[in-house]
């Protein structure tokens, strides 16, 4: 990109998304998908007005067309708009390349055979199941980006999963189920070299399912609970993280008036990691450069219980007097970048999960979420697929599906122990206006919240 060709701040992004998946339900192929989405988009900023355009044409001609259309849109909105803001400050230029080599072409036959062998293992070893579903999937996202600040980046991010759902008849005659996935960052043939690698995970889930089938219903009310890393991660993302995205803050989220205030226990530090986690390992969804050309860095949202920062794009950072840290992200070439999380979790603490369990006289341990919702007030309700009673500091009976609910910051203020380990979910997604890959997880936390009953 030659800077002197453009009158205003301009971005160009060329992108290819490829998804391949195969799903078997009770041994029958129900889904066999190979989809590719590719194209080019451009965005031009002029004194607070964006002109955006995209074309499904991954070529030099497509770039010319999209630049022309984005320029026309920018001029139109500038002429019609009442907004007049300073243009963005200039950021240092750079050239960044990161990502994964695609080790070899992934065929649909490979996915189907992998799913079939996995399904055969389940059906032969666990014939008492009412139903079983196995999905093998890989999504790869490749982006080329440049802007008039002379930022250039090229990234390739593949994620590969084997997911399965097992359904069994419960002791009350009703079906019970657990869904689980394994895998993560990398190409499918590298992450999953052979089906037998996932058999151990299947065995563990079946044991949990048998316990759940013979389980009891929770006693409703405020309870001391331990939220395993998956539930703690979803709480951090859905009920806390979204309230601290600057666009939600400006719209009036609960975090709007909490900057610099105590919003959680001293034990809670919550960070949106860019590309490496607290242990120095690559995150599930690494972002090195965002879709506005900002070099990504960690965003410390809560530190020792105090709200320290919001997440920003260039515009909100400029308006609110902050530095952007790489949170502007788009899922498809035709999507405009939005303020999004990357890999959000509570920082591990100093307690062992064993000590956490022993500290509870009468409560619950919960993991394996099913679904849930949270809003801009921080109020949430999540479904729980697996858990067990804790009686006198010891594991008790398994419990059937239940719900947990509360106000996120109240729940964080109630945190009295944080485990010393870190576990990431394999298949995190976020659906804020456009679905996008994210990393969720963290340590287990001990807190107090409202538990649903039968």
């Amino acid at each position: 990109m030659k800077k002197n060709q453009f009158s205003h701040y301009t971005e160009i992004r060329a992108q290819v998304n490829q998804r391949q998946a195969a799903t078997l339900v009770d041994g029958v192929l129900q889904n066999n998908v190979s989809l590719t989405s590719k194209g080019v988009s451009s965005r031009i900023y002029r004194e607070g007005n964006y002109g955006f355009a995209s074309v499904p044409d991954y070529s030099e001609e497509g770039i010319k067309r999209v630049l022309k259309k984005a320029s026309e849109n920018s001029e139109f909105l500038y002429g019609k708009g009442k907004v007049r803001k300073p243009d963005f400050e200039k950021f240092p230029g750079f050239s960044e390349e990161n990502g994964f080599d695609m080790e070899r072409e992934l065929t649909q036959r490979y996915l189907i055979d992998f799913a079939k062998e996995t399904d055969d293992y389940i059906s032969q070893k666990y014939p008492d199941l009412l139903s079983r579903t196995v999905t093998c999937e890989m999504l790869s996202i490749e982006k080329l980006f440049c802007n008039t600040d002379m930022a250039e980046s090229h990234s390739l991010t593949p994620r590969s999963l084997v997911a399965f759902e097992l359904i069994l008849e419960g002791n009350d005659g009703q079906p019970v189920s657990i869904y689980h996935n394994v895998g993560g960052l990398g190409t499918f043939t590298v992450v999953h070299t052979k089906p037998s690698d996932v058999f151990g995970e299947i065995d563990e889930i079946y044991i949990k399912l048998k316990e759940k089938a013979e389980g009891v219903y929770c006693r409703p009310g405020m309870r001391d609970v331990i939220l395993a890393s998956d539930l703690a991660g979803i709480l951090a993302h859905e009920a806390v993280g979204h309230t601290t995205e600057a666009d939600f803050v400006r719209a009036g989220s609960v975090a709007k008036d909490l900057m610099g205030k105590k919003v959680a226990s001293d034990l809670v530090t919550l960070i949106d990691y860019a590309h490496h986690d607290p242990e120095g390992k690559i995150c599930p969804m690494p972002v090195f450069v965002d879709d506005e050309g900002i070099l990504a860095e960690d965003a410390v949202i809560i530190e020792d219980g105090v709200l320290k920062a919001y997440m920003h794009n260039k515009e909100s950072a400029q308006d609110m007097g902050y530095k952007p840290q790489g949170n502007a992200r788009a899922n498809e070439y035709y999507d405009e970048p939005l303020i999004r999380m990357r890999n959000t979790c509570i920082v591990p603490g100093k307690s062992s999960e064993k000590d956490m369990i022993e500290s509870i006289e009468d409560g619950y341990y919960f993991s394996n979420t099913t679904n849930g919702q949270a809003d801009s007030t921080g109020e949430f309700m999540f479904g729980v697929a697996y858990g067990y009673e804790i009686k006198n500091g010891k594991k008790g009976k398994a419990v059937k599906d239940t719900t947990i609910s509360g106000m996120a910051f109240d729940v964080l203020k109630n945190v009295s122990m944080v485990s010393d380990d870190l576990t990431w979910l394999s298949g995190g997604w976020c659906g804020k206006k456009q679905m996008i890959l994210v990393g969720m997880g963290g340590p287990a936390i001990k807190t107090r919240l409202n538990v649903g009953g039968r």
Side-chain angles (χ1 to χ4, degrees):
M1 176 179 281
K2 295 181 180 179
K3 191 173 180 180
N4 58 9
Q5 291 180 325
F6 301 91
S7 302
H8 305 287
Y9 171 79
T10 301
E11 302 165 353
I12 301 172
R13 174 166 43 92
Q15 184 170 337
V16 179
N17 286 21
Q18 185 172 9
R19 177 177 178 264
Q20 294 175 258
T23 300
L24 274 69
V25 178
D26 298 331
V28 178
L29 184 64
Q30 297 287 340
N31 187 35
N32 184 17
V33 175
S34 179
L35 298 173
T36 299
S37 168
K38 65 180 179 179
V40 180
S41 65
S42 177
R43 197 168 64 152
I44 297 175
Y45 183 84
R46 184 179 180 186
E47 295 183 28
N49 299 277
Y50 280 111
F52 179 79
S54 65
V55 295
D57 183 356
Y58 202 86
S59 69
E60 186 173 343
E61 183 60 33
I63 293 173
K64 292 177 182 179
R65 285 169 53 204
V66 82
L67 281 170
K68 182 176 183 295
K69 187 63 178 176
S71 180
E72 291 172 355
N73 291 342
S74 176
E75 289 297 320
F76 175 80
L77 292 172
Y78 177 79
K80 294 290 184 181
K82 298 179 181 179
V83 176
R84 293 292 184 267
K85 297 179 181 179
D87 282 337
F88 294 138
E89 66 171 285
K90 305 300 181 185
F91 290 84
F94 60 85
S95 180
E96 176 86 14
E97 178 141 1
N98 58 77
F100 289 73
D101 294 329
M102 300 298 280
E103 300 291 338
R104 76 176 196 194
E105 182 181 359
L106 177 65
T107 65
Q108 290 300 112
R109 183 76 263 166
Y110 186 93
L111 286 180
I112 293 169
D113 288 346
F114 197 107
K116 181 68 167 61
E117 189 173 336
T118 304
D119 179 78
D120 287 345
Y121 173 81
I122 297 172
S123 65
Q124 292 170 18
K125 188 166 184 180
Y126 305 116
D128 56 338
L129 290 171
L130 295 178
S131 183
R132 62 193 187 277
T133 300
V134 177
T135 297
C136 296
E137 176 183 49
M138 185 178 80
L139 173 63
S140 66
I141 301 173
E142 185 171 17
K143 296 180 180 182
L144 288 166
F145 176 92
C146 61
N147 65 15
T148 46
D149 286 346
M150 308 311 291
E152 298 180 357
S153 70
H154 174 213
S155 64
L156 175 61
T157 310
R159 188 173 77 176
S160 303
L161 301 175
V162 176
F164 49 91
E165 182 179 32
L166 309 182
I167 303 176
L168 194 64
E169 183 176 335
N171 54 8
D172 57 0
Q174 299 298 311
V176 295
S177 66
I178 296 181
Y179 170 88
H180 185 68
N181 60 55
V182 294
L185 193 64
T187 56
F188 195 94
T189 53
V190 172
V191 175
H192 302 290
T193 57
K194 56 186 182 300
S196 59
D197 290 343
V198 304
F199 292 173
E201 298 264 4
I202 292 169
D203 294 340
E204 289 180 15
I205 293 301
Y206 179 79
I207 291 170
K208 289 183 176 181
L209 186 63
K210 287 288 284 185
E211 292 174 345
K212 181 179 176 180
E214 299 299 320
V216 297
Y217 288 97
C218 291
R219 293 169 293 111
M222 291 294 294
R223 305 292 178 194
D224 291 326
V225 302
I226 295 170
L227 301 182
S229 61
D230 55 346
L231 275 170
I234 288 172
L235 176 71
H237 177 100
E238 293 288 353
V240 179
H242 280 306
T243 68
T244 59
E245 292 170 330
D247 48 354
F248 280 178
V249 172
R250 297 164 89 174
S253 83
V254 67
K256 183 176 183 180
D257 300 317
L258 296 177
M259 182 59 69
K261 296 182 180 179
K262 198 78 170 175
V263 296
S265 156
D266 291 345
L267 300 175
V268 175
T269 293
L270 190 150
I271 297 178
D272 181 60
Y273 291 97
H275 40 73
H276 285 83
D277 69 18
E279 299 175 349
K281 298 176 182 177
I282 193 78
C283 289
M285 185 56 218
V287 176
F288 292 87
V289 179
D290 78 356
D291 293 321
E292 291 183 331
I294 295 294
L295 285 168
E297 56 187 58
D298 299 342
V300 180
I301 299 167
I302 298 173
E303 186 174 22
D304 300 331
V306 177
L307 183 62
K308 291 289 188 178
Y310 303 132
M311 288 170 281
H312 293 279
N313 59 12
K314 280 185 176 179
E315 185 176 19
S316 70
Q318 178 172 271
D319 291 348
M320 300 172 75
Y322 287 87
K323 174 188 175 184
Q325 295 176 294
N327 285 98
R329 301 179 59 205
N331 185 49
E332 294 275 3
Y333 75 87
Y334 49 77
D335 290 324
E336 285 194 72
L338 301 174
I339 301 171
R340 307 299 293 264
M341 284 171 273
R342 293 136 335 160
N343 307 273
T344 314
C345 75
I346 294 170
V347 176
K350 298 180 179 180
S351 299
S352 70
E353 200 165 287
K354 178 176 178 291
D355 290 340
M356 294 167 72
I357 293 170
E358 290 177 349
S359 73
I360 294 179
E361 289 296 315
D362 185 12
Y364 294 99
Y365 179 101
F366 292 134
S367 66
N368 292 77
T369 184
T370 54
N371 52 48
Q373 60 184 24
D375 59 29
S376 61
T377 68
E379 185 175 8
F380 68 90
M381 177 179 288
F382 300 141
V384 177
Y386 178 75
Y388 53 80
E389 298 174 320
I390 301 175
K391 298 286 189 180
N392 300 315
K394 295 182 179 180
K395 176 181 176 180
K397 294 181 179 179
V399 296
K400 297 187 185 296
D401 285 357
T402 189
T403 59
I404 55 173
S405 60
M407 302 296 293
F409 290 122
D410 290 342
V411 171
L412 291 187
K413 287 177 182 177
N414 289 334
V415 170
S416 56
M417 300 178 83
V418 179
S419 74
D420 56 7
D421 57 350
L422 172 63
T423 304
W424 290 105
L425 296 179
S426 300
W429 282 93
C430 178
K432 177 185 172 183
K433 296 184 181 178
Q434 49 185 255
M435 296 298 292
I436 203 165
L437 299 179
V438 293
M440 289 186 284
I445 60 173
K446 177 189 173 185
T447 186
R448 188 169 176 81
L449 48 67
N450 189 59
V451 176
R454 183 166 187 170

